[in-house]
Amino acid sequence: MTNQEFIDSFRHDQKQENWWYRFHPVTKMIFCLALGFMSLFVFKWQVGLVIFLIASIIAMTTPICKKYFATIGIMFVVGCLFTVIVRLYVHLGDSGPAAFYLFGKAVPIAALISCLDLIFMIEGFLGIFLIFFMTTEMRDLCYCLEQKGMSPAATFMVLSTFSGITSIKDKLNNVRESQRARGIETEGSFIVKVKSILPVLFPVIISSMTGIEDKTLAMDARAFAANGKHTALRRIAPAKLIEKLIAVLAIVICITGTFVCKKYL
């Protein structure tokens, strides 16, 4: 890309090659919120499974497919399996028809179904939100929210929070590279990685917090608190009619589906 092409890219609405990336950030957020909270409110494995499959299908059509499934797999192992093991242990030997026997004690079918409800509720809820955060730039979302009437101060706080997390991650990676260059072991088991990060974690967080003053000065220099409409370097195209309809449909499905599933599942 030449310098002129780079300059011209900011004179038009931002364009993305992937269909899900082109989805308007606010309508995408509404769609994911509706499905995510439906999984949480209904708390049935059938609903959670469907929402998880929807998130997985979307992920498979995007460039972050491998990263998404790796992350959701880690969440499943760390969160779901531990919770399920504890729940099964609590219900060992309870009365009712047995699904199978564990350590010589019966595991009731009701306990097994309860575990499935919990697993797919978590996977559905986290899966749909994960696909949103992994494919949506926070600066684009905050810009669109500000265009819809949200306070610039509120959008700045949201953007600063997410950018602060990213900044801490980047600094930790730089520190790890520096440690590796000095011969300190940073690769290997999980315990080795934790030992290499813990000594520098607190200083990195403090250094990131001290950058708030620099941001405040930069905001004052750009008249952030001045009255009037704020300008932006990046522009996002307004939501298309089909995108708005999908967002409305997701809300309708969330509301009606929650009542129907609560009654019949």
Side-chain angles (χ1 to χ4, degrees):
M1 179 183 291
T2 63
N3 291 337
Q4 188 59 42
E5 289 175 341
F6 177 75
I7 295 171
D8 291 338
S9 67
F10 293 100
R11 292 174 176 166
H12 309 283
D13 295 332
Q14 296 297 309
K15 296 181 180 180
Q16 301 285 351
E17 296 182 0
N18 185 268
W19 72 276
W20 181 249
Y21 282 79
R22 288 195 302 269
F23 220 81
H24 192 269
V26 175
T27 54
K28 190 194 301 185
M29 179 182 68
I30 294 172
F31 175 82
C32 293
L33 281 173
L35 294 185
F37 281 111
M38 183 178 176
S39 175
L40 182 65
F41 294 150
V42 176
F43 206 87
K44 294 293 182 180
W45 68 268
Q46 299 94 327
V47 176
L49 177 60
V50 170
I51 293 174
F52 174 68
L53 290 176
I54 292 174
S56 299
I57 292 171
I58 294 173
M60 287 188 288
T61 63
T62 62
I64 51 94
C65 178
K66 292 182 179 179
K67 184 179 179 182
Y68 170 81
F69 284 107
T71 306
I72 205 72
I74 293 172
M75 289 180 176
F76 175 78
V77 172
V78 174
C80 294
L81 286 185
F82 175 77
T83 307
V84 167
I85 290 172
V86 172
R87 177 166 288 199
L88 284 178
Y89 178 78
V90 170
H91 290 284
L92 277 179
D94 286 359
S95 59
F100 57 90
Y101 289 86
L102 187 65
F103 304 121
K105 294 184 178 181
V107 176
I109 295 177
L112 183 61
I113 294 176
S114 176
C115 290
L116 289 175
D117 291 340
L118 178 64
I119 289 174
F120 286 108
M121 183 279 291
I122 295 175
E123 290 295 294
F125 183 80
L126 292 181
I128 199 69
F129 277 101
L130 188 62
I131 195 67
F132 170 74
F133 285 109
M134 292 180 73
T135 59
T136 307
E137 290 196 49
M138 285 301 106
R139 56 178 177 175
D140 293 341
L141 176 62
C142 290
Y143 169 79
C144 294
L145 290 174
E146 189 173 334
Q147 294 298 109
K148 296 295 182 180
M150 191 172 180
S151 168
T155 57
F156 177 77
M157 289 176 61
V158 174
L159 184 59
S160 297
T161 301
F162 283 96
S163 62
I165 296 172
T166 305
S167 175
I168 292 174
K169 180 182 177 181
D170 293 339
K171 288 183 178 180
L172 282 175
N173 288 334
N174 292 335
V175 170
R176 289 184 62 192
E177 292 294 334
S178 301
Q179 289 178 321
R180 189 181 297 112
R182 292 176 174 84
I184 301 175
E185 187 178 5
T186 59
E187 298 295 334
S189 64
F190 177 75
I191 296 177
V192 172
K193 292 180 180 179
V194 170
K195 286 182 178 179
S196 65
I197 291 177
L198 281 180
V200 297
L201 182 61
F202 187 71
V204 166
I205 294 175
I206 294 299
S207 64
S208 299
M209 293 176 63
T210 56
I212 296 176
E213 184 178 0
D214 297 333
K215 292 180 181 179
T216 303
L217 294 175
M219 290 168 60
D220 289 338
R222 290 167 175 80
F224 183 82
N227 295 326
K229 188 177 180 180
H230 288 196
T231 58
L233 185 62
R234 290 167 59 90
R235 293 191 303 176
I236 307 299
K240 299 177 182 178
L241 178 60
I242 184 65
E243 295 175 344
K244 295 179 181 178
L245 291 176
I246 290 175
V248 173
L249 181 62
I251 295 174
V252 173
I253 291 175
C254 175
I255 296 173
T256 57
T258 299
F259 285 106
V260 171
C261 292
K262 282 282 190 180
K263 185 176 181 180
Y264 294 104
L265 289 182

PDB file of all heavy atoms in Angstrom, residues 174-191:
ATOM      1  N   ASN A 174       6.669  -8.398  25.426  1.00  0.00           N
ATOM      2  CA  ASN A 174       7.986  -7.767  25.249  1.00  0.00           C
ATOM      3  C   ASN A 174       8.944  -8.158  26.369  1.00  0.00           C
ATOM      4  O   ASN A 174      10.139  -8.400  26.135  1.00  0.00           O
ATOM      5  CB  ASN A 174       7.837  -6.246  25.194  1.00  0.00           C
ATOM      6  CG  ASN A 174       7.110  -5.774  23.955  1.00  0.00           C
ATOM      7  OD1 ASN A 174       7.107  -6.463  22.936  1.00  0.00           O
ATOM      8  ND2 ASN A 174       6.482  -4.606  24.027  1.00  0.00           N
ATOM      9  N   VAL A 175       8.407  -8.210  27.595  1.00  0.00           N
ATOM     10  CA  VAL A 175       9.242  -8.601  28.731  1.00  0.00           C
ATOM     11  C   VAL A 175       9.700 -10.047  28.584  1.00  0.00           C
ATOM     12  O   VAL A 175      10.857 -10.383  28.850  1.00  0.00           O
ATOM     13  CB  VAL A 175       8.466  -8.402  30.057  1.00  0.00           C
ATOM     14  CG1 VAL A 175       9.218  -9.037  31.216  1.00  0.00           C
ATOM     15  CG2 VAL A 175       8.263  -6.915  30.324  1.00  0.00           C
ATOM     16  N   ARG A 176       8.802 -10.919  28.142  1.00  0.00           N
ATOM     17  CA  ARG A 176       9.163 -12.326  27.946  1.00  0.00           C
ATOM     18  C   ARG A 176      10.237 -12.471  26.876  1.00  0.00           C
ATOM     19  O   ARG A 176      11.165 -13.279  27.009  1.00  0.00           O
ATOM     20  CB  ARG A 176       7.924 -13.137  27.563  1.00  0.00           C
ATOM     21  CG  ARG A 176       6.939 -13.333  28.703  1.00  0.00           C
ATOM     22  CD  ARG A 176       5.796 -14.213  28.274  1.00  0.00           C
ATOM     23  NE  ARG A 176       6.269 -15.541  27.905  1.00  0.00           N
ATOM     24  CZ  ARG A 176       5.519 -16.448  27.277  1.00  0.00           C
ATOM     25  NH1 ARG A 176       4.274 -16.155  26.953  1.00  0.00           N
ATOM     26  NH2 ARG A 176       6.008 -17.628  26.990  1.00  0.00           N
ATOM     27  N   GLU A 177      10.123 -11.693  25.801  1.00  0.00           N
ATOM     28  CA  GLU A 177      11.149 -11.729  24.761  1.00  0.00           C
ATOM     29  C   GLU A 177      12.492 -11.237  25.309  1.00  0.00           C
ATOM     30  O   GLU A 177      13.553 -11.790  24.981  1.00  0.00           O
ATOM     31  CB  GLU A 177      10.711 -10.861  23.569  1.00  0.00           C
ATOM     32  CG  GLU A 177       9.518 -11.388  22.802  1.00  0.00           C
ATOM     33  CD  GLU A 177       9.811 -12.702  22.093  1.00  0.00           C
ATOM     34  OE1 GLU A 177      10.989 -12.951  21.771  1.00  0.00           O
ATOM     35  OE2 GLU A 177       8.867 -13.478  21.882  1.00  0.00           O
ATOM     36  N   SER A 178      12.449 -10.214  26.146  1.00  0.00           N
ATOM     37  CA  SER A 178      13.684  -9.698  26.756  1.00  0.00           C
ATOM     38  C   SER A 178      14.303 -10.742  27.683  1.00  0.00           C
ATOM     39  O   SER A 178      15.525 -10.932  27.698  1.00  0.00           O
ATOM     40  CB  SER A 178      13.388  -8.410  27.537  1.00  0.00           C
ATOM     41  OG  SER A 178      12.851  -7.419  26.693  1.00  0.00           O
ATOM     42  N   GLN A 179      13.469 -11.403  28.466  1.00  0.00           N
ATOM     43  CA  GLN A 179      13.970 -12.448  29.353  1.00  0.00           C
ATOM     44  C   GLN A 179      14.591 -13.605  28.564  1.00  0.00           C
ATOM     45  O   GLN A 179      15.625 -14.155  28.944  1.00  0.00           O
ATOM     46  CB  GLN A 179      12.836 -12.966  30.238  1.00  0.00           C
ATOM     47  CG  GLN A 179      12.385 -11.987  31.304  1.00  0.00           C
ATOM     48  CD  GLN A 179      11.229 -12.534  32.115  1.00  0.00           C
ATOM     49  OE1 GLN A 179      10.332 -13.185  31.578  1.00  0.00           O
ATOM     50  NE2 GLN A 179      11.229 -12.271  33.404  1.00  0.00           N
ATOM     51  N   ARG A 180      13.930 -13.972  27.467  1.00  0.00           N
ATOM     52  CA  ARG A 180      14.459 -15.055  26.642  1.00  0.00           C
ATOM     53  C   ARG A 180      15.816 -14.669  26.040  1.00  0.00           C
ATOM     54  O   ARG A 180      16.722 -15.505  25.936  1.00  0.00           O
ATOM     55  CB  ARG A 180      13.459 -15.393  25.533  1.00  0.00           C
ATOM     56  CG  ARG A 180      13.831 -16.658  24.759  1.00  0.00           C
ATOM     57  CD  ARG A 180      12.840 -16.973  23.656  1.00  0.00           C
ATOM     58  NE  ARG A 180      11.522 -17.257  24.197  1.00  0.00           N
ATOM     59  CZ  ARG A 180      10.466 -16.489  24.028  1.00  0.00           C
ATOM     60  NH1 ARG A 180      10.560 -15.363  23.344  1.00  0.00           N
ATOM     61  NH2 ARG A 180       9.306 -16.818  24.539  1.00  0.00           N
ATOM     62  N   ALA A 181      15.939 -13.398  25.640  1.00  0.00           N
ATOM     63  CA  ALA A 181      17.203 -12.935  25.073  1.00  0.00           C
ATOM     64  C   ALA A 181      18.329 -12.948  26.104  1.00  0.00           C
ATOM     65  O   ALA A 181      19.509 -13.081  25.744  1.00  0.00           O
ATOM     66  CB  ALA A 181      17.034 -11.524  24.511  1.00  0.00           C
ATOM     67  N   ARG A 182      17.983 -12.828  27.391  1.00  0.00           N
ATOM     68  CA  ARG A 182      18.988 -12.844  28.459  1.00  0.00           C
ATOM     69  C   ARG A 182      19.230 -14.258  29.003  1.00  0.00           C
ATOM     70  O   ARG A 182      19.927 -14.424  30.001  1.00  0.00           O
ATOM     71  CB  ARG A 182      18.548 -11.925  29.603  1.00  0.00           C
ATOM     72  CG  ARG A 182      18.550 -10.457  29.231  1.00  0.00           C
ATOM     73  CD  ARG A 182      18.017  -9.593  30.377  1.00  0.00           C
ATOM     74  NE  ARG A 182      18.142  -8.174  30.106  1.00  0.00           N
ATOM     75  CZ  ARG A 182      17.272  -7.460  29.405  1.00  0.00           C
ATOM     76  NH1 ARG A 182      16.191  -8.055  28.906  1.00  0.00           N
ATOM     77  NH2 ARG A 182      17.453  -6.162  29.200  1.00  0.00           N
ATOM     78  N   GLY A 183      18.621 -15.242  28.386  1.00  0.00           N
ATOM     79  CA  GLY A 183      18.864 -16.624  28.790  1.00  0.00           C
ATOM     80  C   GLY A 183      17.950 -17.138  29.869  1.00  0.00           C
ATOM     81  O   GLY A 183      18.157 -18.240  30.382  1.00  0.00           O
ATOM     82  N   ILE A 184      16.909 -16.369  30.251  1.00  0.00           N
ATOM     83  CA  ILE A 184      15.972 -16.825  31.275  1.00  0.00           C
ATOM     84  C   ILE A 184      14.937 -17.729  30.616  1.00  0.00           C
ATOM     85  O   ILE A 184      14.389 -17.409  29.562  1.00  0.00           O
ATOM     86  CB  ILE A 184      15.282 -15.626  31.963  1.00  0.00           C
ATOM     87  CG1 ILE A 184      16.325 -14.722  32.613  1.00  0.00           C
ATOM     88  CG2 ILE A 184      14.273 -16.104  32.994  1.00  0.00           C
ATOM     89  CD1 ILE A 184      15.747 -13.465  33.207  1.00  0.00           C
ATOM     90  N   GLU A 185      14.644 -18.854  31.243  1.00  0.00           N
ATOM     91  CA  GLU A 185      13.712 -19.824  30.677  1.00  0.00           C
ATOM     92  C   GLU A 185      12.277 -19.304  30.771  1.00  0.00           C
ATOM     93  O   GLU A 185      11.767 -19.024  31.851  1.00  0.00           O
ATOM     94  CB  GLU A 185      13.829 -21.152  31.425  1.00  0.00           C
ATOM     95  CG  GLU A 185      13.020 -22.272  30.785  1.00  0.00           C
ATOM     96  CD  GLU A 185      13.184 -23.590  31.510  1.00  0.00           C
ATOM     97  OE1 GLU A 185      13.851 -23.601  32.572  1.00  0.00           O
ATOM     98  OE2 GLU A 185      12.655 -24.599  31.024  1.00  0.00           O
ATOM     99  N   THR A 186      11.650 -19.170  29.614  1.00  0.00           N
ATOM    100  CA  THR A 186      10.270 -18.692  29.565  1.00  0.00           C
ATOM    101  C   THR A 186       9.345 -19.668  28.847  1.00  0.00           C
ATOM    102  O   THR A 186       8.135 -19.456  28.826  1.00  0.00           O
ATOM    103  CB  THR A 186      10.190 -17.327  28.854  1.00  0.00           C
ATOM    104  OG1 THR A 186      10.710 -17.465  27.515  1.00  0.00           O
ATOM    105  CG2 THR A 186      10.983 -16.277  29.598  1.00  0.00           C
ATOM    106  N   GLU A 187       9.898 -20.688  28.226  1.00  0.00           N
ATOM    107  CA  GLU A 187       9.096 -21.680  27.515  1.00  0.00           C
ATOM    108  C   GLU A 187       9.089 -22.986  28.294  1.00  0.00           C
ATOM    109  O   GLU A 187       9.999 -23.269  29.077  1.00  0.00           O
ATOM    110  CB  GLU A 187       9.656 -21.908  26.102  1.00  0.00           C
ATOM    111  CG  GLU A 187       9.629 -20.660  25.220  1.00  0.00           C
ATOM    112  CD  GLU A 187       8.220 -20.193  24.929  1.00  0.00           C
ATOM    113  OE1 GLU A 187       7.297 -21.036  24.960  1.00  0.00           O
ATOM    114  OE2 GLU A 187       8.032 -18.995  24.677  1.00  0.00           O
ATOM    115  N   GLY A 188       8.057 -23.762  28.059  1.00  0.00           N
ATOM    116  CA  GLY A 188       7.962 -25.049  28.733  1.00  0.00           C
ATOM    117  C   GLY A 188       6.586 -25.253  29.327  1.00  0.00           C
ATOM    118  O   GLY A 188       5.580 -24.898  28.701  1.00  0.00           O
ATOM    119  N   SER A 189       6.530 -25.797  30.508  1.00  0.00           N
ATOM    120  CA  SER A 189       5.255 -26.099  31.155  1.00  0.00           C
ATOM    121  C   SER A 189       4.566 -24.820  31.617  1.00  0.00           C
ATOM    122  O   SER A 189       5.149 -23.729  31.622  1.00  0.00           O
ATOM    123  CB  SER A 189       5.480 -27.026  32.352  1.00  0.00           C
ATOM    124  OG  SER A 189       6.252 -26.377  33.347  1.00  0.00           O
ATOM    125  N   PHE A 190       3.317 -25.002  32.027  1.00  0.00           N
ATOM    126  CA  PHE A 190       2.528 -23.868  32.514  1.00  0.00           C
ATOM    127  C   PHE A 190       3.180 -23.231  33.737  1.00  0.00           C
ATOM    128  O   PHE A 190       3.186 -22.004  33.887  1.00  0.00           O
ATOM    129  CB  PHE A 190       1.112 -24.349  32.840  1.00  0.00           C
ATOM    130  CG  PHE A 190       0.224 -23.286  33.424  1.00  0.00           C
ATOM    131  CD1 PHE A 190      -0.313 -22.292  32.627  1.00  0.00           C
ATOM    132  CD2 PHE A 190      -0.078 -23.276  34.788  1.00  0.00           C
ATOM    133  CE1 PHE A 190      -1.128 -21.310  33.161  1.00  0.00           C
ATOM    134  CE2 PHE A 190      -0.887 -22.300  35.329  1.00  0.00           C
ATOM    135  CZ  PHE A 190      -1.419 -21.319  34.508  1.00  0.00           C
ATOM    136  N   ILE A 191       3.742 -24.040  34.625  1.00  0.00           N
ATOM    137  CA  ILE A 191       4.374 -23.525  35.847  1.00  0.00           C
ATOM    138  C   ILE A 191       5.589 -22.668  35.502  1.00  0.00           C
ATOM    139  O   ILE A 191       5.823 -21.616  36.114  1.00  0.00           O
ATOM    140  CB  ILE A 191       4.775 -24.699  36.766  1.00  0.00           C
ATOM    141  CG1 ILE A 191       3.524 -25.454  37.226  1.00  0.00           C
ATOM    142  CG2 ILE A 191       5.567 -24.192  37.971  1.00  0.00           C
ATOM    143  CD1 ILE A 191       3.815 -26.676  38.066  1.00  0.00           C
TER     144      ILE A 191
END
